[in-house]
Amino acid sequence: MIEDPNKHWLYRKSSLPWLWRFLIGILVLSVIPEFFVNHYSYFAEQGTTIEASFGFHAWYGFITCALMVVAAKVLGIFLKRKDNYYDD
Amino acid sequence: MTEPGIVSNILSGWSPGFPPGLVLMFAGLLLPFFQGIARKVLVLVAPILTLITVWAVGTDNNLTLQFLDYNLNPVAGNGYGLVFATIFSIMAFVGGLYALNQARVVELAAGFVYAGAAIGVTFSGDLISLFIFWEIMALGSTLVIWSAGTEKAWSASFRYLLIHLLGGVILMAGITLRVLETNSIAFTAMQPDNLANILILAGFLLNAGAPPLSAWIADAYPEASPSGMVFLSAFTTKTAVFTLLIGFPGTDILIYIGLYMVFYGIIYALLENDMRRILAYSIVNQVGFMVCAIGIGTELALTGAAAHAFAHIIYKALLIMSAGSVLMMTGKRKCTDVGGLIQTMPFTAVNGIIGALAISAFPFTSGFVTKSLETAAAADQGLVFVWFCLMAASAGVFLHAGIKFPWFVFFQKDSGLRPPESPRNMQIAMWIFSFLCIAIGLFPQIFYQILPIPPDYQAYSFSHLVSQFQLLLFAGLAFFVLLPMMKRTLTISLDFDWFYRRFLHIVASEFTVKTGAAGNIVENGLRIKVERFIKRLYKIHGPYGVLARTWPSGGMVLWVSVMLASIIIFSALF
């Protein structure tokens, strides 16, 4: 398929794989320093050091966000109404 | 209260004997009488004069007014109040600049009275002065919403006013009881261990957008004009944060109320389709962080709450200005209608993105150096659960405001809209706040000096930078991976306001049907009368000025008399 050359490069289908590669590249870059940094554990006294473990913030950020999106989706089943619901 | 850092010494030696907020309120009342260039000068000069007066007063306490049997202290500066009054003045200036050529004069005037009253609260040393300014804020903000001039804004402003009058009554009841019990009107730290203080706490929390009545923020604010919402986003909720900070530091329940607000804001913002309602929900989310920190109550936590409020006012106003520019230039406010606007509104987009990065606490922005004070305070206290919740919420902020807002408005699909940039005064206002977002982020140690107790905190450690980048970038990954689940739909989400917008409505209409047409006639007649009365009042008494002055005193006198009556009955019974 030949794409409209006037289309902004961000919106061309052919740019999409490159955008993904760029994002994944940044993500990898953000994890590399984990090999060199020593995180200090705040909660050793409370019996957990997970927040100082390798790449904690990476997986914690991803999983909690995924959970929030799913939670919103589930609550949306009950809470969503057409946006003219109150207009009468 | 300790002396604030640099601010107090700048203008020492000259201390006016009146509340600094009056400068802005007075300027607001004068605005309608000025035209053209003179009005513009007044809009820009008044906030600067206010800021000078705020700093001149500093932490002085130099005015005592006799009221009934009580000595009022309306000029009682304290370190935290100074931080809030400073940002409120800056906000009035930039908000005024943003609104300069577009807003109706009634909106600007109301906005200034509202902002001035907010500054009045931050200098109130007693609960009666606080209450008076509190109610003026309610009326000023109602007028700001109403001056958008649409039918939706009219009904939203009415619902908003009802909620805030309810809050005012609760607060007044609390204050009256407290004065009866302690015979003191001083505004100091309290414990919610008796009815009086619980009522005061509830009154403050209502304005902070706490549950169950959080819905008023997303209901009313987005109905205001593009510039009106900028004013609204700054003052009411942050004044509530200030009063909680002074009145209820270290109150445990605030931790959990704050956490609820944080996640409420995220979930509702994720479900929302209207770009300005997304930002309204995100106000609740951000105020939740501050309320939680106030609940933790250590020195670092309270400083963090004040610093976060300061930074938050700037980046939230920036986001709302950017959304307001889009609304003004396209006339559209739903995510399903916009998209691809970066092509013709690149500056608005850049400013929106800077605001989005700052709210997400991206390194090198103001959010990074302020919000982390709060999470550090949770860590210091060993509050494991709270800390893990706050970290998840920080990731969630990036999800619902940091990416969702700019993505759906400026990127996503190309909507085909090609609006030009917004007018120059709006652009300048946005650049000023973008500059502040980054300046605070880059030079936190200078910014910390305006806090009452400059924190000994190093935001830029290698470990903190790495952690924050990971948290946010992987939150971003979650957004793009789950994008299909977040397809925008033409929907709103039910909230507690359903009870007063629908349930009571159903009950009322059932009642009307049962009582026949008579009810309808009475209702319509009353409504027409009220509307005519308000219209006439507005017409006769000139552009709103007198109206704003008579409502609070009239309303207050009524409630004071109601309270007095109930106290007499109460004391007669026991």
Side-chain angles (χ1 to χ4, degrees):
Chain A
M1 191 181 105
I2 299 156
E3 285 188 276
D4 180 1
N6 292 327
K7 214 171 181 180
H8 194 281
W9 62 268
L10 265 175
Y11 297 96
R12 289 183 209 145
K13 271 253 166 7
S14 54
S15 313
L16 209 59
W18 288 105
L19 290 172
W20 270 108
R21 267 171 240 176
F22 180 69
L23 177 64
I24 290 165
I26 292 179
L27 293 174
V28 171
L29 271 181
S30 76
V31 178
I32 289 175
E34 284 291 301
F35 292 105
F36 312 107
V37 68
N38 217 341
H39 292 296
Y40 168 78
S41 168
Y42 308 115
F43 303 118
E45 273 179 43
Q46 280 78 19
T48 175
T49 53
I50 189 172
E51 85 285 0
S53 59
F54 184 90
F56 164 77
H57 287 84
W59 66 259
Y60 191 69
F62 183 84
I63 289 180
T64 51
C65 280
L67 286 176
M68 282 182 262
V69 171
V70 172
K73 192 85 186 162
V74 172
L75 282 172
I77 298 170
F78 303 101
L79 295 177
K80 276 190 173 185
R81 294 289 183 277
K82 284 214 161 54
D83 60 4
N84 56 7
Y85 179 73
Y86 287 119
D87 308 342
D88 44 32
Chain B
M1 197 59 61
T2 48
E3 283 287 305
I6 49 175
V7 175
S8 66
N9 299 323
I10 293 177
L11 294 161
S12 58
W14 177 72
S15 193
F18 58 86
L22 287 189
V23 178
L24 205 52
M25 293 170 72
F26 189 63
L29 295 174
L30 281 180
L31 270 184
F33 303 103
F34 284 78
Q35 294 291 335
I37 203 86
R39 182 186 289 167
K40 287 179 187 176
V41 170
L42 186 60
V43 168
L44 296 177
V45 168
I48 296 172
L49 286 179
T50 309
L51 185 60
I52 292 171
T53 320
V54 164
W55 285 357
V57 171
T59 51
D60 284 356
N61 183 344
N62 62 2
L63 179 67
T64 310
L65 291 176
Q66 190 79 19
F67 173 73
L68 303 176
D69 279 340
Y70 302 104
N71 289 321
L72 305 192
N73 258 326
V75 191
N78 71 69
Y80 288 114
L82 214 48
V83 175
F84 283 83
T86 301
I87 187 59
F88 286 167
S89 309
I90 297 172
M91 181 64 237
F93 174 79
V94 176
L97 176 62
Y98 185 79
L100 198 60
N101 297 323
Q102 286 75 27
R104 293 167 66 189
V105 65
V106 53
E107 178 189 300
L108 264 171
F112 272 19
V113 171
Y114 170 37
I119 294 171
V121 171
T122 64
F123 277 94
S124 293
D126 66 277
L127 290 163
I128 295 177
S129 313
L130 184 146
F131 180 76
I132 292 168
F133 285 121
W134 195 262
E135 291 300 286
I136 297 174
M137 281 177 69
L139 296 165
S141 50
T142 304
L143 273 169
V144 171
I145 300 168
W146 174 77
S147 55
T150 62
E151 201 176 311
K152 273 190 149 180
W154 162 250
S155 33
S157 69
F158 203 73
R159 287 193 296 274
Y160 174 89
L161 184 64
L162 287 180
I163 293 285
H164 284 276
L165 289 181
L166 171 70
V169 174
I170 295 172
L171 182 59
M172 187 70 212
I175 292 173
T176 315
L177 264 179
R178 183 176 160 80
V179 172
L180 265 185
E181 282 168 9
T182 63
N183 208 23
S184 152
I185 57 166
F187 178 39
T188 49
M190 299 167 243
Q191 292 295 328
D193 50 10
N194 58 44
L195 181 63
N197 294 355
I198 290 172
L199 286 173
I200 294 176
L201 177 63
F204 289 166
L205 279 172
L206 189 141
N207 269 25
L213 291 170
S214 311
W216 60 266
I217 294 182
D219 175 28
Y221 286 3
E223 301 307 332
S225 74
S227 48
M229 188 173 169
V230 176
F231 279 107
L232 292 163
S233 73
F235 302 116
T236 302
T237 48
K238 257 59 73 185
T239 310
V241 167
F242 166 77
T243 54
L244 288 170
L245 202 160
I246 299 296
F248 296 95
T251 302
D252 279 344
I253 184 137
L254 291 181
I255 297 178
Y256 303 100
I257 292 175
L259 287 180
Y260 175 90
M261 290 167 72
V262 162
F263 289 105
Y264 162 91
I266 294 173
I267 299 283
Y268 273 84
L270 284 174
L271 289 169
E272 188 52 57
N273 184 34
D274 180 318
M275 62 178 177
R276 295 210 305 164
R277 287 175 60 108
I278 293 175
L279 296 178
Y281 283 123
S282 123
I283 295 175
V284 183
N285 160 274
Q286 292 288 301
V287 171
F289 277 94
M290 298 166 214
V291 170
C292 181
I294 293 168
I296 295 170
T298 58
E299 190 182 291
L300 181 64
L302 297 180
T303 308
H308 190 196
F310 191 102
H312 167 78
I313 288 175
I314 297 173
Y315 55 65
K316 180 45 59 68
L318 178 58
L319 282 164
I320 291 171
M321 286 180 191
S322 150
S325 295
V326 169
L327 171 64
M328 203 176 113
M329 303 317 289
T330 63
K332 299 191 188 306
R333 46 189 274 191
K334 291 174 188 167
C335 289
T336 38
D337 294 337
V338 292
L341 297 181
I342 191 162
Q343 298 171 72
T344 55
M345 299 182 84
F347 295 127
T348 304
V350 166
N351 283 304
I353 291 167
I354 291 174
L357 292 176
I359 197 173
S360 317
F362 229 83
F364 313 113
T365 64
S366 55
F368 181 68
V369 299
T370 54
K371 199 163 68 182
S372 49
L373 294 170
E374 296 168 333
T375 43
D380 281 354
Q381 292 305 101
L383 299 167
V384 184
F385 174 73
V386 176
W387 187 86
F388 277 84
C389 284
L390 289 180
M391 290 319 277
S394 302
V397 174
F398 192 44
L399 195 66
H400 83 272
I403 313 186
K404 183 176 173 179
F405 166 72
W407 173 259
F408 281 109
V409 174
F410 299 111
F411 300 96
Q412 64 152 340
K413 62 174 200 325
D414 188 353
S415 61
L417 296 170
R418 294 289 182 270
E421 284 284 8
S422 52
R424 198 195 295 168
N425 62 306
M426 294 179 144
Q427 296 285 324
I428 297 171
M430 286 191 279
W431 285 119
I432 293 174
F433 271 180
S434 283
F435 170 79
L436 283 177
C437 281
I438 295 170
I440 293 172
L442 289 180
F443 306 106
Q445 298 306 336
I446 297 175
F447 168 69
Y448 290 162
Q449 293 306 310
I450 70 162
L451 300 169
I453 307 156
D456 177 23
Y457 179 74
Q458 207 33 267
Y460 288 102
S461 71
F462 186 54
S463 161
H464 187 204
L465 277 171
V466 170
S467 307
Q468 189 70 1
F469 270 124
Q470 281 178 10
L471 188 75
L472 297 181
L473 291 170
F474 278 83
L477 175 68
F479 179 87
F480 288 109
V481 168
L482 299 171
L483 202 52
M485 281 181 81
M486 287 191 277
K487 204 170 155 10
R488 296 294 80 228
T489 49
L490 286 166
T491 51
I492 56 150
S493 307
L494 295 185
D495 199 338
F496 194 83
D497 60 349
W498 180 83
F499 287 99
Y500 53 85
R501 294 177 75 175
R502 250 313 136 92
F503 179 68
L504 292 181
H505 192 77
I506 294 166
V507 173
S509 21
E510 196 64 15
F511 181 78
T512 320
V513 170
K514 292 267 153 48
T515 51
N520 264 329
I521 293 162
V522 172
E523 196 185 302
N524 284 336
L526 263 178
R527 190 184 301 156
I528 290 165
K529 264 191 193 145
V530 169
E531 275 174 5
R532 199 180 293 155
F533 174 71
I534 290 169
K535 270 184 194 153
R536 230 176 52 210
L537 207 65
Y538 184 69
K539 211 172 171 184
I540 293 167
H541 293 274
Y544 114 96
V546 181
L547 193 65
R549 265 180 279 146
T550 48
W551 281 14
S553 51
M556 211 187 67
V557 168
L558 173 66
W559 289 116
V560 166
S561 48
V562 170
M563 291 318 304
L564 285 178
S566 35
I567 290 159
I568 290 166
I569 295 166
F570 190 73
S571 46
L573 286 175
F574 301 98

